[in-house]
Amino acid sequence: MTTLAPTGRGLSETTSRMQLDCLRQLVVVLCERSQLQDLVQFSYVNLHDQVVGIIESRARSLDLLSHNYYELLYAFHINRHNYRKAGTVMFELGMRLGREVRTRLGLQKQVNCYLAALNCLRLIRPEYAWIVQPAAGATYERPGASPKRNSDGEFSSEPVKRQVDILELKDLEKEYILSRSRLTLAQHHPPSAAIAGSASPEEMVSLLVQTGLFDSALSICQTFNLNLTSVFEGLTFKCIKLQFGGEETQNEAWSWLAANQLSSVVNTKESSATDEAWRLLSSYLERHLSANGQHHRCVINKLLSHAVPLPDWLISSYKGVDAASLLRLYLNFDLLDAAAELVLEYIDALLGRGHQYFGIERPLSATSSSVWLPYTSIDQLLQTLNETQTNSSMYNKVRDKLADYHRLVEQTTKRRLATR
């Protein structure tokens, strides 16, 4: 029988496969002997990509906490000044830790991974400071995979079709802030570590608010452009519980109060946990202003829906922001006396008495700019007061005050027309 010698192409493929097998064995042996420095610094000539593929394959197939192949691959790229690939490796490791290691240790390692990835990208020129992440639903699920090799580190004959997302430095900074908030949550509430690792920004805000970590929740909202309403509603509800809670509730509150950046949290006889919670809420309203007073409105709505009297500082604060909206809230909750008092004060402010408390720069006069009243709400108030026998005196006060205002408007209008 005649034996055919292998052709040149077949011999080349056989040699390449044997070469790859020997290389894989070399990598495994060096890792088992912990000769990692030799492995990283060895010159592989034309086999660099194959070495990367072998280490990638082992990193993705073995337990994250028992083996350090990701760290090895990171050191491999750093040693060759390939900072973008090094950053990609750390970002992939951070993502896997969030999905697979649901412990506080895993969250700590995730923070470190994202921080390392950030540092890598900051060493690159801004136009090149980005990494590739496969999009949801793509053929390959992890970032940083080679499109040319399969899981064994061998070149694939078929091209891989996949969608990718480009992550820039600002995207990694967001992920780092999110991972740091996950760790903070796990440190203050250990059971949350099991669900925090892969929680979305919206889910994290909810978890942080429930635990009382409002500073971290606000940071996530600002980083990801989320609405702050849930944070203010959550803190308001904490204030309500403290207002009507017992000594145990007061004692428990000091732990989450201390986790937020109040200028000075002091546990003394003069200052209770309830006082500090209200002070925290007040500081948030001052620091996070909204154009239409949305935050004040959601806080007041939450308090009134639980039949909690509004603190004087909150009323004073909102009067200067949007007195008309405060009047509507009073009417919605049938607080007729408070609504009538507010109308009387507001008309006095327009007439020149206490206008600075309502954010009015100049009261009604012939030379000032136009002023206005929320007539629809006032008409609703007058009608309700008129229908209620017990509020006849208040009805007369509001009606008479409104008449005084109309007389002054008429006089002012005549003077303005005369000067023209």
Side-chain angles (χ1 to χ4, degrees):
M1 181 179 292
T2 304
T3 303
L4 297 177
T7 63
R9 180 179 178 184
L11 182 62
S12 175
E13 290 179 353
T14 302
T15 304
S16 296
R17 187 173 295 277
M18 291 176 61
Q19 190 179 54
L20 185 59
D21 289 340
C22 292
L23 181 62
R24 185 182 296 109
Q25 188 66 25
L26 173 65
V27 171
V28 171
V29 170
L30 289 177
C31 288
E32 289 176 349
R33 294 179 178 178
S34 298
Q35 295 178 250
L36 303 182
Q37 186 172 356
D38 295 335
L39 179 58
V40 168
Q41 295 179 347
F42 189 79
S43 176
Y44 295 95
V45 192
N46 297 324
L47 299 175
H48 174 273
D49 288 345
Q50 287 86 335
V51 173
V52 171
I54 292 169
I55 301 175
E56 280 180 352
S57 177
R58 294 188 69 82
R60 290 165 182 156
S61 60
L62 298 176
D63 181 71
L64 290 176
L65 297 181
S66 301
H67 301 83
N68 62 347
Y69 282 100
Y70 276 105
E71 287 87 348
L72 173 63
L73 191 57
Y74 170 75
F76 188 90
H77 290 310
I78 289 292
N79 187 64
R80 286 157 178 78
H81 305 290
N82 195 336
Y83 298 116
R84 184 159 62 186
K85 284 192 175 180
T88 302
V89 169
M90 283 292 101
F91 184 75
E92 177 181 333
L93 176 56
M95 288 183 63
R96 284 194 60 192
L97 286 166
R99 291 194 301 261
E100 301 173 24
V101 185
R102 304 298 183 90
T103 64
R104 179 173 166 179
L105 176 61
L107 294 175
Q108 178 65 70
K109 288 178 70 70
Q110 185 184 58
V111 170
N112 295 339
C113 288
Y114 287 153
L115 187 57
L118 272 175
N119 290 336
C120 287
L121 289 195
R122 285 171 178 155
L123 295 172
I124 307 173
R125 287 194 299 176
E127 60 267 29
Y128 299 112
W130 53 267
I131 62 176
V132 175
Q133 175 193 16
T139 303
Y140 184 71
E141 294 182 356
R142 298 190 185 102
S146 169
K148 300 179 182 179
R149 294 184 298 272
N150 57 25
S151 58
D152 294 326
E154 299 176 359
F155 283 90
S156 174
S157 57
E158 297 182 2
V160 179
K161 295 181 179 179
R162 57 178 181 148
Q163 297 175 332
V164 297
D165 288 335
I166 302 299
L167 298 180
E168 299 177 343
L169 192 60
K170 61 182 180 181
D171 301 312
L172 264 68
E173 288 173 345
K174 289 182 178 181
E175 289 297 329
Y176 170 67
I177 293 173
L178 184 60
S179 66
R180 197 173 58 189
S181 71
R182 290 168 178 155
L183 178 60
T184 301
L185 176 64
Q187 290 170 338
H188 286 83
H189 188 250
S192 299
I195 57 176
S198 57
S200 66
E202 292 82 2
E203 292 168 339
M204 277 305 303
V205 170
S206 177
L207 291 171
L208 290 166
V209 166
Q210 291 174 21
T211 312
L213 302 175
F214 297 103
D215 278 355
S216 297
L218 285 172
S219 176
I220 296 296
C221 289
Q222 292 173 323
T223 301
F224 291 90
N225 294 321
L226 303 178
N227 196 303
L228 302 183
T229 299
S230 61
V231 180
F232 280 99
E233 288 183 343
L235 179 52
T236 303
F237 188 65
K238 290 273 190 185
C239 293
I240 294 172
K241 289 177 66 177
L242 284 171
Q243 187 86 12
F244 299 100
E247 184 177 351
E248 183 179 354
T249 305
Q250 294 278 329
N251 294 334
E252 291 175 353
W254 285 111
S255 60
W256 64 261
L257 282 169
N260 297 287
Q261 294 294 324
L262 267 174
S263 56
S264 58
V265 178
V266 287
N267 184 359
T268 65
K269 294 181 180 179
E270 292 76 18
S271 177
S272 66
T274 305
D275 296 332
E276 293 301 310
W278 285 116
R279 193 159 69 88
L280 181 63
L281 178 59
S282 175
S283 69
Y284 281 171
L285 288 172
E286 291 176 3
R287 295 204 309 255
H288 304 282
L289 299 175
S290 55
N292 57 357
Q294 175 187 358
H295 302 152
H296 283 81
R297 188 160 55 251
C298 79
V299 168
I300 292 175
N301 190 73
K302 190 77 171 178
L303 291 172
L304 295 181
S305 64
H306 286 80
V308 178
L310 301 183
D312 291 338
W313 63 263
L314 181 58
I315 296 174
S316 300
S317 175
Y318 198 33
K319 282 195 302 188
V321 175
D322 191 350
S325 180
L326 178 58
L327 175 59
R328 288 191 292 270
L329 284 169
Y330 280 152
L331 293 174
N332 290 341
F333 289 92
D334 292 326
L335 301 175
L336 301 182
D337 288 342
E341 290 292 345
L342 178 62
V343 170
L344 294 174
E345 290 179 12
Y346 191 56
I347 294 177
D348 278 339
L350 293 178
L351 297 177
R353 294 184 290 273
H355 59 279
Q356 66 274 15
Y357 301 117
F358 286 84
I360 301 172
E361 294 184 2
R362 298 179 64 187
L364 180 64
S365 68
T367 57
S368 66
S369 57
S370 301
V371 295
W372 67 282
L373 277 176
Y375 280 110
T376 302
S377 298
I378 293 176
D379 288 342
Q380 179 184 349
L381 172 63
L382 286 172
Q383 181 179 353
T384 307
L385 290 173
N386 191 35
E387 294 171 354
T388 307
Q389 297 295 330
T390 57
N391 289 294
S392 57
S393 61
M394 188 61 74
Y395 169 81
N396 292 331
K397 287 182 180 179
V398 175
R399 186 188 59 184
D400 293 343
K401 184 67 71 173
L402 199 57
D404 293 340
Y405 172 76
H406 288 153
R407 279 195 296 271
L408 183 58
V409 168
E410 184 177 356
Q411 295 172 7
T412 303
T413 302
K414 290 180 179 179
R415 292 196 192 98
R416 180 171 292 186
L417 292 175
T419 56
R420 289 182 179 178

